[in-house]
Amino acid sequence: MDPVIIVGGGPVGLALALALARQEVPSVVLDEGPGTDETRPARTVVLREDTTALVERLTGVPLGAAGTRWAGWRSMRRKQVMREITFDDTEPGPLHLAQHVLTGALRAAVTGEPLIGLAVNSRLDSLEQEPSGVTAHTRGPQATWWRGSFLVGCDGPRSTVRKLQDIRFPGRTAVERHAVAALRTELPWPDHALLHRLPPWRTSGGSSGEVTGRPLPDGVWRLDWLLPPGKDLVTPELLLARVRETLAGWTGGPTPPYELLDTGVHTVHHRLARRWRAGRVFLAGDAAHLLGALGAQGLDEGLRDADNLAWKLASAWHHGPHETLLDSYQAERRAVVAGRLRAADQALPLVRGGAGLRAVVPGSARGHDVLFTDGHLGRGALGAPGAYTDSPLTPRHIEAEVPVDTPPGAPVTDVLVTAEDGSSVRLRDRLGRGALLVVLVAPGTGVWERKHWVTAGIMPRLAAAVTALPHPAELLVTESYPGAAAHTVLLVRPDGHLVTALNGVRPADLYTAAEATLGGPARTEATAGSR
């Protein structure tokens, strides 16, 4: 069986290659660059809890030392503190790190993975597909043809894959523009991110009245100033004036010492590809969507694309393609990103509407603050991980289904579980291996050794039901799960989304739910493409 061809050597393409390798699927990454990343302190990413855990699973490297996990969040308007949030172990803050550091960690993991080939200086210029696979041609020092089972375009906003497939990419250009600076200094809020709207010191010409400060390791901060609409150039003199007045305003005195490390202009576009699948060709990351207004981070969604697509491609690679399963990638991920874009587009006129709107809508300033907080912290419609409630993989009419605090299609809570080997691990640690997860809620099992309870009560019957499922599955046990009664059985997808919760051991219902998760009953010819 031919490897999966991944076009693009950025974070999403590298993450997808690693996710496939964890499921024993080979891939080749076609990177048009030299395989090295420019050091840009002002180009950073914010990862939420779920995507941080995903990258750490894929790389085997804790990211905490490479970035700064926010200790808190503060939002201000003029001189008033509108909201303060403190993060702790029960609610970890987002992780902020330089993008070249993230890409470097992924690239190092790819280099040590024998199932992944990395071809640098290889720019795609044509591709062809037929029912049995995809052929791609690259130009460069070693121009050549590549043969793959599937091809995934992770090649950014100007995606060659998308253009070769003639897929439209409509949306809005320059929704927001920000002047950006990375600098080393001391601010009054160590490790706390800050959004300040309408700061009282606005004196530099053309100031828009909104600045964000986000901490990085070693005393470095990234500052973003929202620019007014238009294409006015950000001159070095104007940027330095903003740096000085902002630092002086926040410290309450003269401008403190600082070291300017990097600058730039960040332009936010909102676009959504019409199709994310064309036969054996898929789009992911910025090739499929662009978003980022109001603090939202597009890379989070790109990594979730990779996590969603990897287990479906792995199933198709090992067992033959199932069209419903492969189609579900577009149905699920495009719907989630479209929802995020709609929420941002609806919120932008409200928060950028000027004083006239605030004068007629009581409490609107605090309502705006909620929207900003959601976008920056990964909450609500602007930032929370999406739920696949209308997925074509959702099982229908399961009589034994019971409600828990996680709705079907939403990401599961990361509870402590006992694995089949008796080890105690986090539920997230068992994700991404290609197997379905069956989790039994059994209070009290934690005080007994596994050998005492694995053959007692309902366990033998549940173990037999798991073995009979139409897809590899792992049986786990947890002391408790939010909203679940004792003996509730949870079925979880390889990407961590809940399929269903059943009232006790129901082998027929469990099988039906697992079959639906795979796209329904397999066709008789589905194994024709297996290796």
Side-chain angles (χ1 to χ4, degrees):
M1 188 76 168
D2 295 317
V4 175
I5 299 173
I6 299 171
V7 182
V12 174
L14 297 173
L16 177 59
L18 289 167
L20 289 170
R22 281 172 60 91
Q23 299 170 63
E24 300 182 352
V25 176
S27 63
V28 57
V29 179
L30 306 182
D31 187 354
E32 71 175 83
T36 58
D37 302 290
E38 182 183 5
T39 300
R40 290 293 309 275
R43 189 180 186 191
T44 65
V45 296
V46 178
L47 300 182
R48 276 49 173 191
E49 186 181 4
D50 64 315
T51 47
T52 299
L54 169 62
V55 174
E56 291 181 338
R57 284 198 309 272
L58 296 177
T59 62
V61 176
L63 294 179
T68 295
R69 191 176 287 280
W70 296 348
W73 165 265
R74 167 181 292 206
S75 58
M76 300 179 66
R77 184 170 181 269
R78 296 192 174 97
K79 296 182 179 181
Q80 181 182 7
V81 176
M82 303 293 291
R83 173 172 296 194
E84 284 190 278
I85 298 173
T86 301
F87 300 112
D88 54 28
D89 292 340
T90 60
E91 185 186 8
L95 181 70
H96 186 212
L97 71 165
Q99 181 163 320
H100 68 265
V101 173
L102 172 65
T103 307
L106 291 164
R107 197 180 299 277
V110 163
T111 302
E113 175 51 63
L115 286 175
I116 303 175
L118 181 60
V120 300
N121 298 314
S122 298
R123 180 175 178 81
L124 180 75
D125 60 10
S126 68
L127 67 88
E128 301 173 357
Q129 61 172 311
E130 59 274 348
S132 60
V134 180
T135 302
H137 184 266
T138 55
R139 67 172 184 262
Q142 296 179 331
T144 188
W145 289 93
W146 304 86
R147 178 66 181 175
S149 54
F150 299 94
L151 185 145
V152 185
C154 305
D155 49 344
R158 296 178 175 86
S159 170
T160 301
V161 174
R162 189 184 64 241
K163 293 172 183 176
L164 290 174
Q165 293 300 295
D166 196 25
I167 296 174
R168 294 184 58 202
F169 198 39
R172 300 172 59 196
T173 300
V175 177
E176 291 183 348
R177 293 173 68 238
H178 298 260
V180 182
L183 50 90
R184 183 176 285 110
T185 191
E186 290 188 17
L187 291 178
W189 314 281
D191 295 337
H192 284 60
L194 169 72
L195 170 67
H196 200 161
R197 304 184 68 213
L198 304 177
W201 61 77
R202 292 177 296 159
T203 58
S204 61
S207 176
S208 65
E210 182 178 307
V211 57
T212 305
R214 288 174 280 199
L216 287 161
D218 302 322
V220 176
W221 290 79
R222 169 173 164 167
L223 304 186
D224 290 61
W225 295 267
L226 180 67
L227 297 172
K231 297 183 179 180
D232 296 340
L233 292 178
V234 180
T235 65
E237 294 77 15
L238 178 60
L239 184 58
L240 286 174
R242 293 191 178 191
V243 168
R244 292 169 182 146
E245 72 178 13
T246 300
L247 296 183
W250 280 347
T251 56
T255 302
Y258 69 91
E259 178 187 2
L260 188 62
L261 304 175
D262 191 20
T263 62
V265 174
H266 173 54
T267 303
V268 176
H269 309 288
H270 279 182
R271 295 188 178 278
L272 186 66
R274 292 289 192 192
R275 293 180 292 145
W276 291 26
R277 181 192 180 196
R280 288 179 174 264
V281 176
F282 299 81
L283 300 177
D286 287 351
H289 51 76
L290 295 174
L291 70 162
L294 304 178
Q297 291 291 321
L299 181 58
D300 261 351
E301 294 300 347
L303 293 172
R304 290 168 186 151
D305 294 345
D307 198 25
N308 182 290
L309 182 58
W311 73 273
K312 297 170 182 178
L313 287 180
S315 177
W317 195 88
H318 286 295
H319 308 293
H322 194 303
E323 294 304 307
T324 302
L325 182 63
L326 294 176
D327 282 342
S328 71
Y329 166 67
Q330 172 177 305
E332 293 175 348
R333 294 299 307 145
R334 191 178 187 278
V336 165
V337 175
R340 289 274 298 273
L341 286 170
R342 281 195 301 271
D345 286 342
Q346 291 168 0
L348 277 168
L350 300 178
V351 299
R352 308 292 188 217
L357 182 66
R358 291 193 296 273
V360 299
V361 181
S364 61
R366 292 193 178 275
H368 298 171
D369 178 69
V370 171
L371 292 173
F372 281 109
T373 301
D374 284 350
H376 282 278
L377 301 186
R379 299 175 172 181
L382 286 176
Y388 307 139
T389 48
D390 296 322
S391 169
L393 307 182
T394 302
R396 313 294 179 187
H397 311 300
I398 303 269
E399 292 185 4
E401 188 171 44
V402 293
V404 296
D405 286 359
T406 303
V412 292
T413 301
D414 186 28
V415 297
L416 195 66
V417 296
T418 301
E420 293 183 21
D421 61 3
S423 61
S424 182
V425 296
R426 305 301 305 186
L427 181 54
R428 277 202 182 114
D429 293 339
R430 314 308 290 184
L431 300 176
R433 300 166 180 259
L436 299 172
L437 303 181
V438 178
V439 184
L440 171 66
V441 180
T445 52
V447 301
W448 301 96
E449 291 187 28
R450 181 180 181 277
K451 63 182 181 180
H452 294 304
W453 51 259
V454 73
T455 59
I458 63 175
M459 281 298 294
R461 186 165 176 247
L462 179 57
V466 171
T467 302
L469 292 179
H471 191 79
E474 181 179 8
L475 177 58
L476 306 168
V477 178
T478 184
E479 285 271 346
S480 63
Y481 187 88
H487 295 170
T488 299
V489 175
L490 311 175
L491 180 62
V492 182
R493 294 173 15 158
D495 58 356
H497 288 254
L498 181 67
V499 178
T500 188
L502 302 177
N503 179 22
V505 180
R506 311 279 183 155
D509 287 339
L510 188 62
Y511 188 97
T512 298
E515 192 175 54
T517 304
L518 302 174
R523 305 185 309 245
T524 56
E525 67 271 19
T527 58
S530 61
R531 55 176 180 166

